[in-house]
Each structure stands twice: as structure tokens, then as C-alpha cells.
Amino acid sequence: MPRLSRLAHHLWIGAATCALLIPLAVACGDASESLGIGPPSAGAFGQADVFPECGALNQACLSSGLNSPLAVGAKLGVGVNFKVAGNSGPPTTLMATRDDVLLVDGGVVDAVGTGIAAILILGPDGRVIDFIHVWVAMASELRIIRYSDVGLAIGAVREEATLLVGDELFVSVEAFDDSQPLLGLFKATWTTDVLEADPEATSDPVIVVDDIVFGWYRIVAREPGKIRLNVNALGLDKTLTLEVLP
Amino acid sequence: MNRATPILLLALALLPLLTACPDDPYPDKVRLYQTSGAPPSLTASLDNDPDAPRLDLTVGVAMAVRCWESNINDCEQVTVTMDPPDVLAVHDVDVLSGYPQHAFALVGLKKGSGVLTVKTPKATGYYTVFVEPPPAP
């Protein structure tokens, strides 16, 4: 094969390989995202990175890590990556600098009031290894976000929508403050109000089931009819009206 | 007067000048240097004004500082203390890389003022501390 032709052949194989791998790389993204862990933020001394353990899927957590405030009333697991060559992570204690803003219980911070507090990362001897400031804000809005069953965010659920019997939606309830997504997991309480139903139906048109992952819910269309769903969390309400077609 | 007398008088005249000259071109002093910024809209600042060194913090805010002696060396055997201690907390930092040798995390605890003392065997520095309350929610 002439040299020029061989070169062109190799270039073609290289380009084809890249073309195959690029979509895989884009689809996979950061490995941490698939584990429900948000991107890390650097501590002030550069000795540790702090990252949120998102638990249930949460747009703020997965996309921006700790670069969002926590919602008052929410809890957030906090992980620490130590950046010390030759060492595993030491036994660590977290401590908040304002207990009217954050309470710390092991590796979980509880947002109890608006404001800012630093989380100090203490080593085995009680000395500070690093710290990071965390904001806490009051939620002003709840949004119900639909996810695919493999965890890809599809978008906010409309306030009025139509389903077919057998449809099952995976959703999370997420807190926002003036359109800024807020971090943290919190308990949401769902109530239903049946507006129209088949008299012979054995179930409400729609039922809401807590998923085994905290903060994730399944909305299941069971029977034809119309129903109003209300979710209450963090002192806020969000209402959906769903019509189920046969 | 013998021949040695003028030389002796000259030496006596120069003696005070010799004792006045520092043998170290850098006078011993100790300073803290801020290595972290303030959160947005809050205060965390350290001013090494030689006439009025000053530290300002908001309650709940932490400030990372390093200690230097004579502007060129990390501090050795340094102690940092706050008076009164309930206005500002001083946390010793475990410097895992081995450099710099001494760093501290200073945290505003409550509104008030006081004096932060930085002491090494060679020198002592003082900062006037002002801790302001957090902004109202």
C-alpha cells in the first residue's frame, strides 16, 4: 500500500474510533453523577474537597454540587475527599460555626435557619484540616421534576396533564428560591382529591408511592378519571391536576 | 595625651552608633496573612497596617491565615490567642503538606471586639479584632 494511502487509512480508522467513543463519553459523563454525588468544591486550605451526597435525584445537587444554598428544613449528606498524597482519609468530624444555621450530625448537615455557616473539617486530634462556607436559604417554590427510570432529568411536570392507564412517572420534589435551585433532601407529603372517577373503579385514578430511595416518588395511573394531587414540603404546596384516559 | 588617646576617644564616640545598628536587616516581627476570601456580602479581612493592624469578621465566617516572621519565614513555635475568647475562635490547622508550617482558621463567634495576639519566641504581634453580627435574614 503506498505510504500516503496507508496514512489516510490510519486516519480514517482513528476518526471512526473517535466518532464511536465520543457519544459514549458524553452519555457517561462524570462517573460521580451516576452515584448521586455532586461535583466537589475546594476547601479554603486546599487540603480537602467537599461534595454533596445527593441521595435522591436533585438538579441542584447533581449539576452544581455545593454551589447552591441549602433549603431551610432540608438535610444534606456531605462527603470529604482528602487531597493528601500517600494517605487515606483520616477519621473526621464535621463542625458548623453557627448552630442557628446548620446542625451537624455525623456526615449529615441539617439546615435549620437562613444565613451562612462554615463547616469545619476536623482531624483525629481536633485540629482543622479544612473548611468551606455553606449558605442556607428559604425555599419559595416547589417544583416536581420528572426523571426517566435511569435517572435522566426530563423536566418539570406541568400543573395540568393527561396520562394513560398504566403510566408510571418517576418524580422528585425540588425546592427553589426565586428560580435558584436549592440543595437538600426533605420529606414531602402527598394528598389526593378525586375529581372524577369511574363508579366501579377499585382504585383512585392515580396513586403516589414513595420510592425506596428517599425523596423519589412514583406517580402511577391506575384507573380512568381525574384527580388533584397536592404535595406539601418545607411549608410550601404544589398542586397537579391529572386526567387519566382509558 | 599619648598617641592612643585619639583612637580611644574615637572608638568611644562610635560605640553608641554601633549598638544602635541592627545586626539583622529585617527587624523581628510576626504577621498573619489572609489566604481565604470572604463569602459574598460578608466580611473577612485582615489589614497589616503597621500602625493599626486589624482583623474584621462576620459571625459564623471563617478566615484562613498563615503566620510569617520577619516577612520571609514561616513562624516557629507560634501561639495565637484571642482576648476575649468568646468573640473569635482560633483553630490550629493541621498542615498536611508540611508547608507552610503554621496556619490557623479564625472564626467569628459573636459580635464584639478584642485583641488577637500572635506570639513566637522572636516577636509578638497584636491585631485589633472586630466581629460584626450576621446580616438579618
Side-chain angles (χ1 to χ4, degrees), chain B residues 3-4 10 14 21 27 32 36-37 51 53-54 59 68 75 83 92 95 99 102 104 116 135:
Chain B
R3 292 175 58 190
L10 182 63
L14 290 175
C21 288
L32 297 178
S36 68
D51 297 325
R54 169 181 178 134
V59 170
W68 288 73
C75 295
D83 181 26
D92 193 14
V95 181
Y99 183 88
H102 287 96
F104 298 88
L116 186 74

mmCIF file of all heavy atoms in Angstrom, chain B residues 3-4 10 14 21 27 32 36-37 51 53-54 59 68 75 83 92 95 99 102 104 116 135:
data_model
loop_
_atom_site.group_PDB
_atom_site.id
_atom_site.type_symbol
_atom_site.label_atom_id
_atom_site.label_comp_id
_atom_site.label_asym_id
_atom_site.label_seq_id
_atom_site.Cartn_x
_atom_site.Cartn_y
_atom_site.Cartn_z
ATOM 1 N N ARG B 3 49.638 58.810 71.931
ATOM 2 C CA ARG B 3 49.129 58.602 70.563
ATOM 3 C C ARG B 3 47.861 57.759 70.544
ATOM 4 O O ARG B 3 47.072 57.816 69.630
ATOM 5 C CB ARG B 3 50.207 57.933 69.716
ATOM 6 C CG ARG B 3 51.395 58.863 69.475
ATOM 7 C CD ARG B 3 52.492 58.148 68.740
ATOM 8 N NE ARG B 3 52.034 57.631 67.463
ATOM 9 C CZ ARG B 3 52.748 56.805 66.706
ATOM 10 N NH1 ARG B 3 53.924 56.411 67.112
ATOM 11 N NH2 ARG B 3 52.284 56.392 65.552
ATOM 12 N N ALA B 4 47.639 56.959 71.563
ATOM 13 C CA ALA B 4 46.458 56.076 71.556
ATOM 14 C C ALA B 4 45.188 56.805 71.969
ATOM 15 O O ALA B 4 44.087 56.348 71.700
ATOM 16 C CB ALA B 4 46.683 54.896 72.482
ATOM 17 N N LEU B 10 37.841 58.183 69.740
ATOM 18 C CA LEU B 10 37.029 57.934 68.546
ATOM 19 C C LEU B 10 36.194 56.655 68.718
ATOM 20 O O LEU B 10 35.006 56.609 68.391
ATOM 21 C CB LEU B 10 37.928 57.828 67.314
ATOM 22 C CG LEU B 10 37.192 57.610 65.985
ATOM 23 C CD1 LEU B 10 36.287 58.799 65.682
ATOM 24 C CD2 LEU B 10 38.200 57.423 64.855
ATOM 25 N N LEU B 14 32.112 56.267 68.709
ATOM 26 C CA LEU B 14 31.388 55.424 67.735
ATOM 27 C C LEU B 14 30.610 54.298 68.399
ATOM 28 O O LEU B 14 29.716 53.722 67.781
ATOM 29 C CB LEU B 14 32.369 54.829 66.721
ATOM 30 C CG LEU B 14 32.978 55.821 65.738
ATOM 31 C CD1 LEU B 14 34.019 55.123 64.870
ATOM 32 C CD2 LEU B 14 31.906 56.476 64.884
ATOM 33 N N CYS B 21 23.017 50.126 65.497
ATOM 34 C CA CYS B 21 22.813 49.457 64.212
ATOM 35 C C CYS B 21 22.263 48.057 64.433
ATOM 36 O O CYS B 21 22.812 47.288 65.219
ATOM 37 C CB CYS B 21 24.143 49.336 63.457
ATOM 38 S SG CYS B 21 24.718 50.907 62.818
ATOM 39 N N PRO B 27 13.959 43.572 60.928
ATOM 40 C CA PRO B 27 13.631 43.504 62.360
ATOM 41 C C PRO B 27 12.632 42.396 62.610
ATOM 42 O O PRO B 27 11.776 42.104 61.781
ATOM 43 C CB PRO B 27 13.030 44.872 62.644
ATOM 44 C CG PRO B 27 12.593 45.398 61.328
ATOM 45 C CD PRO B 27 13.513 44.813 60.312
ATOM 46 N N LEU B 32 0.233 37.822 60.446
ATOM 47 C CA LEU B 32 -0.678 36.853 59.840
ATOM 48 C C LEU B 32 -1.027 37.344 58.442
ATOM 49 O O LEU B 32 -1.136 38.554 58.217
ATOM 50 C CB LEU B 32 -1.963 36.717 60.671
ATOM 51 C CG LEU B 32 -1.815 36.195 62.096
ATOM 52 C CD1 LEU B 32 -3.175 36.164 62.786
ATOM 53 C CD2 LEU B 32 -1.187 34.806 62.114
ATOM 54 N N SER B 36 -7.764 33.179 52.537
ATOM 55 C CA SER B 36 -9.094 32.850 52.003
ATOM 56 C C SER B 36 -9.906 34.125 51.908
ATOM 57 O O SER B 36 -9.640 35.095 52.628
ATOM 58 C CB SER B 36 -9.811 31.836 52.901
ATOM 59 O OG SER B 36 -10.136 32.412 54.152
ATOM 60 N N GLY B 37 -10.882 34.096 51.025
ATOM 61 C CA GLY B 37 -11.694 35.292 50.818
ATOM 62 C C GLY B 37 -12.947 35.278 51.673
ATOM 63 O O GLY B 37 -13.264 34.292 52.342
ATOM 64 N N ASP B 51 0.722 50.574 61.758
ATOM 65 C CA ASP B 51 0.305 51.413 62.891
ATOM 66 C C ASP B 51 -0.944 50.868 63.574
ATOM 67 O O ASP B 51 -1.164 51.134 64.753
ATOM 68 C CB ASP B 51 0.028 52.844 62.416
ATOM 69 C CG ASP B 51 1.289 53.488 61.873
ATOM 70 O OD1 ASP B 51 2.374 53.196 62.426
ATOM 71 O OD2 ASP B 51 1.196 54.253 60.896
ATOM 72 N N PRO B 53 -2.745 47.297 63.019
ATOM 73 C CA PRO B 53 -3.164 46.012 62.455
ATOM 74 C C PRO B 53 -4.566 45.635 62.934
ATOM 75 O O PRO B 53 -4.880 45.830 64.109
ATOM 76 C CB PRO B 53 -2.120 45.021 62.976
ATOM 77 C CG PRO B 53 -1.224 45.761 63.874
ATOM 78 C CD PRO B 53 -1.573 47.194 63.878
ATOM 79 N N ARG B 54 -5.370 45.130 62.004
ATOM 80 C CA ARG B 54 -6.794 44.976 62.320
ATOM 81 C C ARG B 54 -7.367 43.770 61.588
ATOM 82 O O ARG B 54 -6.962 43.464 60.462
ATOM 83 C CB ARG B 54 -7.491 46.263 61.885
ATOM 84 C CG ARG B 54 -8.989 46.216 61.878
ATOM 85 C CD ARG B 54 -9.561 47.531 61.406
ATOM 86 N NE ARG B 54 -11.017 47.432 61.369
ATOM 87 C CZ ARG B 54 -11.851 48.323 61.835
ATOM 88 N NH1 ARG B 54 -11.382 49.433 62.366
ATOM 89 N NH2 ARG B 54 -13.154 48.142 61.762
ATOM 90 N N VAL B 59 -19.877 37.164 62.133
ATOM 91 C CA VAL B 59 -20.181 35.970 62.944
ATOM 92 C C VAL B 59 -20.462 34.784 62.029
ATOM 93 O O VAL B 59 -21.218 34.880 61.064
ATOM 94 C CB VAL B 59 -21.406 36.234 63.850
ATOM 95 C CG1 VAL B 59 -21.882 34.936 64.496
ATOM 96 C CG2 VAL B 59 -21.084 37.265 64.917
ATOM 97 N N TRP B 68 3.730 34.390 59.360
ATOM 98 C CA TRP B 68 5.078 34.636 58.844
ATOM 99 C C TRP B 68 5.846 35.508 59.821
ATOM 100 O O TRP B 68 5.291 36.419 60.408
ATOM 101 C CB TRP B 68 5.018 35.357 57.493
ATOM 102 C CG TRP B 68 4.546 34.477 56.382
ATOM 103 C CD1 TRP B 68 3.281 34.033 56.175
ATOM 104 C CD2 TRP B 68 5.344 33.934 55.331
ATOM 105 N NE1 TRP B 68 3.234 33.248 55.058
ATOM 106 C CE2 TRP B 68 4.474 33.173 54.513
ATOM 107 C CE3 TRP B 68 6.696 34.022 55.005
ATOM 108 C CZ2 TRP B 68 4.934 32.506 53.393
ATOM 109 C CZ3 TRP B 68 7.145 33.359 53.878
ATOM 110 C CH2 TRP B 68 6.265 32.603 53.093
ATOM 111 N N CYS B 75 6.339 30.980 60.647
ATOM 112 C CA CYS B 75 6.512 31.115 62.096
ATOM 113 C C CYS B 75 6.944 29.789 62.709
ATOM 114 O O CYS B 75 6.584 28.714 62.220
ATOM 115 C CB CYS B 75 5.192 31.534 62.739
ATOM 116 S SG CYS B 75 4.656 33.158 62.230
ATOM 117 N N ASP B 83 -8.432 37.575 73.048
ATOM 118 C CA ASP B 83 -8.968 38.075 74.309
ATOM 119 C C ASP B 83 -10.037 39.128 73.995
ATOM 120 O O ASP B 83 -9.714 40.145 73.404
ATOM 121 C CB ASP B 83 -7.843 38.678 75.154
ATOM 122 C CG ASP B 83 -8.351 39.179 76.494
ATOM 123 O OD1 ASP B 83 -9.374 38.649 76.975
ATOM 124 O OD2 ASP B 83 -7.751 40.130 77.037
ATOM 125 N N ASP B 92 -6.185 25.766 65.377
ATOM 126 C CA ASP B 92 -4.915 25.359 64.781
ATOM 127 C C ASP B 92 -5.209 24.470 63.571
ATOM 128 O O ASP B 92 -6.107 23.630 63.622
ATOM 129 C CB ASP B 92 -4.104 24.588 65.823
ATOM 130 C CG ASP B 92 -2.665 24.410 65.402
ATOM 131 O OD1 ASP B 92 -2.238 25.101 64.451
ATOM 132 O OD2 ASP B 92 -1.974 23.577 66.003
ATOM 133 N N VAL B 95 -1.434 21.261 58.938
ATOM 134 C CA VAL B 95 -0.911 21.474 57.587
ATOM 135 C C VAL B 95 -0.291 20.174 57.100
ATOM 136 O O VAL B 95 0.785 19.775 57.522
ATOM 137 C CB VAL B 95 0.113 22.622 57.571
ATOM 138 C CG1 VAL B 95 0.628 22.851 56.155
ATOM 139 C CG2 VAL B 95 -0.522 23.890 58.105
ATOM 140 N N TYR B 99 4.078 22.362 54.421
ATOM 141 C CA TYR B 99 4.403 23.745 54.095
ATOM 142 C C TYR B 99 3.130 24.454 53.722
ATOM 143 O O TYR B 99 2.380 23.923 52.907
ATOM 144 C CB TYR B 99 5.379 23.815 52.927
ATOM 145 C CG TYR B 99 5.794 25.230 52.604
ATOM 146 C CD1 TYR B 99 6.884 25.814 53.248
ATOM 147 C CD2 TYR B 99 5.069 25.996 51.695
ATOM 148 C CE1 TYR B 99 7.244 27.113 52.975
ATOM 149 C CE2 TYR B 99 5.439 27.296 51.419
ATOM 150 C CZ TYR B 99 6.528 27.852 52.070
ATOM 151 O OH TYR B 99 6.875 29.144 51.810
ATOM 152 N N HIS B 102 2.731 26.834 59.701
ATOM 153 C CA HIS B 102 1.693 27.209 60.646
ATOM 154 C C HIS B 102 0.572 27.978 59.966
ATOM 155 O O HIS B 102 0.814 28.989 59.294
ATOM 156 C CB HIS B 102 2.273 28.035 61.788
ATOM 157 C CG HIS B 102 3.081 27.209 62.731
ATOM 158 N ND1 HIS B 102 4.451 27.106 62.625
ATOM 159 C CD2 HIS B 102 2.715 26.416 63.767
ATOM 160 C CE1 HIS B 102 4.882 26.290 63.570
ATOM 161 N NE2 HIS B 102 3.864 25.857 64.272
ATOM 162 N N PHE B 104 -3.873 28.914 60.553
ATOM 163 C CA PHE B 104 -4.967 28.925 61.524
ATOM 164 C C PHE B 104 -6.275 29.219 60.801
ATOM 165 O O PHE B 104 -6.295 29.881 59.759
ATOM 166 C CB PHE B 104 -4.724 30.007 62.598
ATOM 167 C CG PHE B 104 -3.485 29.766 63.399
ATOM 168 C CD1 PHE B 104 -2.253 30.265 62.964
ATOM 169 C CD2 PHE B 104 -3.526 29.021 64.562
ATOM 170 C CE1 PHE B 104 -1.096 30.018 63.682
ATOM 171 C CE2 PHE B 104 -2.374 28.773 65.280
ATOM 172 C CZ PHE B 104 -1.151 29.270 64.854
ATOM 173 N N LEU B 116 -6.202 40.112 69.272
ATOM 174 C CA LEU B 116 -5.623 38.830 68.881
ATOM 175 C C LEU B 116 -4.107 38.948 69.024
ATOM 176 O O LEU B 116 -3.493 39.866 68.448
ATOM 177 C CB LEU B 116 -6.004 38.510 67.436
ATOM 178 C CG LEU B 116 -5.599 37.139 66.915
ATOM 179 C CD1 LEU B 116 -6.494 36.057 67.512
ATOM 180 C CD2 LEU B 116 -5.701 37.096 65.391
ATOM 181 N N PRO B 135 -25.806 39.463 58.805
ATOM 182 C CA PRO B 135 -26.932 40.273 58.310
ATOM 183 C C PRO B 135 -28.259 39.614 58.680
ATOM 184 O O PRO B 135 -28.355 38.387 58.768
ATOM 185 C CB PRO B 135 -26.711 40.292 56.792
ATOM 186 C CG PRO B 135 -25.749 39.216 56.505
ATOM 187 C CD PRO B 135 -24.967 38.946 57.730
#
